Amino acid sequence: MGPAGPLPTGVFLLSLTAFPICYGVNSVASLSDPTAIALTGVAVLLALFAAAYVQSQGSASHDPLFYAGFAVFAFTSVVDLIIWLEQDGYISGFMEFYMREGEPYLRTSYGIMVCLWDGTAHYLLYLAMASAIIGRKSYRSLGLYWLGSLMMSLLVLLPGNVIGKFGTELRPSFLLNVPYVLLPIWAGMRIFREPRATVYVPAEKAAEEQSRGLLQRPLDIALVLYLVIAVAFTLFRGLVVLDCPSDSCFNYIYQYEPYLKDPVAYPKMQMLVYMFYALPVFCLCLYGLVQPGCTWMLDWTLVLAGAIAQAQFSHVGASLHRRTPYTYRVPAETWWLFLISNALYALGPHLLAYRCLRNPGFFVSTAPGVQDNDKKQK
C-alpha cells in the first residue's frame, strides 16, 4: 500500500474532539429541529476544515487541501464510530438527537455496519494518508483503495435511502453527504494523476513475463477461475433481486440469503451495483490477466478491492446483525456456507491486487521509452 510517514498528531487529536462535540450537541435541548441539526453539522465541519487547514501550513504545507480534507473526514469517521457504539449499546448520550432528527436510516443494520466500516477502515486510511502527506510519501495506492471503498458505500447507501422504506423520512442532514459525493470525484482525478511509485520493471523482465502463456502462470489460472465464478455469482444474485422466477433463484433467496428481500432496499441496491459496476470490472480483469500490457490493472484492481471489501463487510454484517428482522437473517443451517462464499468473494480481489503490485511485469507497457519514463518518475 505504500510507506507511511510520521504519526499525524493533529489529525488524530482533531478526530477525537468528536466525542465531546457530539456529547455537547446532544445535550442541547433546542436542537430538535432537523434544519438546525443540519446547519450545526455544516458549521462544525467548516470550523474543523479551517482549523486543519491552518495546522497544515507546517509539515503538510505542500498539500494543505488534502491534509485538511483527511482531517475532517477522520473526524466524521469517529462520529460514525460513536454511532456504531451507541446503536449496539456500548455507550449512550452522544447521538440520540441525530438518529432521531438527522439520519434515522443509520439505525438499520446496514447503516450500523457502514458506520462501523467508516469508523475503523476508513479512519485508519485517513490517518495513513495524512501520515504520508506529512512524510512527503506517496499515498497513491492507499488513495485508490479508499476511493473504491468510499464510492461503493455511496452507490449503495444514498440511493437505498431514497428508494427504501426510509425514503419518506429524509431530513436536511441528508445533504451532509454531498461532500462525500464531491470529494471522490476531485480526489480520484488527483490520485490517478500521481505517478506510480513502484511500477518500474526492466524491459527484459517485462518481455519475459509477457511471453508466458496463461497455462504457464498457475497463480493467474487460479485468479481467472475466481473471476469466472465471481462473474457467475454476481450475475445470479443480481437476477435474484430482480425477482427472477426460476426455482434456483427462489430457493436461494429463502434458504441462503433472505436478507436480499429486506424492504430497506440496501441489499437489493448492493446486488444491482455489483451487477452493473463490479461485474464489468471482473470481466475487464479477466482480459487483463490474458492480454499483456494492461497497465490499468495496477490501479483498478486496488479500486475494485476497496469497493468489494466495503460492500461485503457491510452486506454480510447486516445479514447477520440483530437489527435485521429474524425472517431476513441467514438461516442457521446455511450460515457457514453463506459466510465462506461471501468471504471468498471478498478475498479474491485482494489477491488479484496483491498479484498485480507484487509482480507487475506482465502488466507494464513495453513500448519504447515507457520504462525509462517510469524509472525517472520513481
Side-chain angles (χ1 to χ4, degrees):
M1 286 293 182
L7 178 68
T9 307
V11 173
F12 180 69
L13 293 178
L14 275 177
S15 69
L16 293 184
T17 62
F19 282 95
I21 289 175
C22 289
Y23 188 82
V25 173
N26 187 71
S27 302
V28 179
S30 60
L31 278 181
S32 58
D33 178 62
T35 303
I37 291 174
L39 293 176
T40 301
V42 171
V44 169
L45 293 180
L46 289 176
L48 286 168
F49 183 85
Y53 185 81
V54 170
Q55 183 188 79
S56 70
Q57 299 309 303
S59 58
S61 59
H62 61 288
D63 206 347
L65 287 177
F66 253 49
Y67 182 87
F70 292 147
V72 171
F73 283 98
F75 173 87
T76 61
S77 290
V78 174
V79 171
D80 282 342
L81 184 63
I82 293 171
I83 291 174
W84 168 71
L85 289 170
E86 189 161 88
Q87 293 303 304
D88 272 358
Y90 297 106
I91 60 175
S92 62
F94 286 84
M95 296 298 292
E96 288 102 335
F97 76 101
Y98 195 74
M99 292 296 96
R100 185 177 61 252
E101 300 294 347
E103 297 184 79
Y105 47 81
L106 293 179
R107 292 177 296 186
T108 64
S109 59
Y110 182 82
I112 291 171
M113 299 313 297
V114 166
C115 288
L116 176 56
W117 180 263
D118 190 52
T120 53
H122 284 171
Y123 182 62
L124 293 175
L125 286 171
Y126 293 135
L127 292 180
M129 290 188 284
S131 295
I133 290 175
I134 295 175
R136 294 181 179 269
K137 306 288 187 179
S138 172
Y139 54 87
R140 193 175 192 277
S141 295
L142 287 170
L144 291 172
Y145 191 88
W146 161 77
L147 183 64
S149 177
L150 187 62
M151 288 176 61
M152 178 62 79
S153 176
L154 295 173
L155 286 172
V156 176
L157 183 66
L158 299 187
N161 295 337
V162 176
I163 69 173
K165 68 178 186 179
F166 287 92
T168 59
E169 297 186 39
L170 296 181
R171 311 285 200 274
S173 294
F174 181 73
L175 298 177
L176 292 175
N177 291 292
V178 171
Y180 280 96
V181 177
L182 299 179
L183 180 66
I185 299 174
W186 171 60
M189 294 174 61
R190 178 163 178 171
I191 291 170
F192 273 107
R193 285 198 299 264
E194 292 289 324
R196 298 187 186 95
T198 57
V199 74
Y200 174 70
V201 178
E204 298 80 7
K205 184 177 180 181
E208 180 185 352
E209 286 286 330
Q210 296 181 14
S211 66
R212 298 165 60 194
L214 182 61
L215 296 179
Q216 297 174 293
R217 294 178 279 129
L219 176 58
D220 288 354
I221 292 176
L223 290 171
V224 165
L225 180 61
Y226 159 78
L227 289 170
V228 171
I229 296 174
V231 166
F233 190 47
T234 301
L235 180 61
F236 175 72
R237 291 204 291 184
L239 294 175
V240 167
V241 298
L242 290 175
D243 296 324
C244 175
S246 71
D247 290 340
S248 57
C249 292
F250 179 85
N251 292 333
Y252 180 82
I253 203 167
Y254 284 100
Q255 296 179 17
Y256 297 94
E257 286 199 64
Y259 178 60
L260 297 179
K261 296 294 289 184
D262 193 321
V264 293
Y266 302 122
K268 183 173 184 177
M269 278 302 308
Q270 184 65 79
M271 296 306 114
L272 293 178
V273 169
Y274 274 158
M275 186 166 69
F276 291 112
Y277 293 95
L279 189 150
V281 178
F282 285 144
C283 294
L284 288 174
C285 289
L286 276 170
Y287 175 82
L289 287 172
V290 175
Q291 180 64 35
C294 295
T295 56
W296 49 265
M297 287 280 286
L298 302 175
D299 293 336
W300 285 99
T301 52
L302 277 170
V303 176
L304 177 66
I308 298 299
Q310 189 282 331
Q312 285 298 100
F313 178 87
S314 301
H315 176 72
V316 172
S319 300
L320 305 173
H321 198 274
R322 59 183 176 82
R323 286 286 179 91
T324 297
Y326 182 79
T327 54
Y328 297 121
R329 290 184 217 165
V330 179
E333 56 271 17
T334 58
W335 191 89
W336 278 109
L337 182 60
F338 164 81
L339 199 61
I340 291 172
S341 61
N342 278 277
L344 292 175
Y345 189 84
L347 178 63
H350 290 79
L351 294 177
L352 177 60
Y354 179 77
R355 181 263 181 273
C356 293
L357 294 176
R358 182 78 177 190
N359 188 14
F362 186 78
F363 307 104
V364 299
S365 175
T366 57
V370 172
Q371 292 293 320
D372 293 336
N373 290 336
D374 286 337
K375 187 175 182 179
K376 290 177 183 178
Q377 288 179 349
K378 183 180 179 184

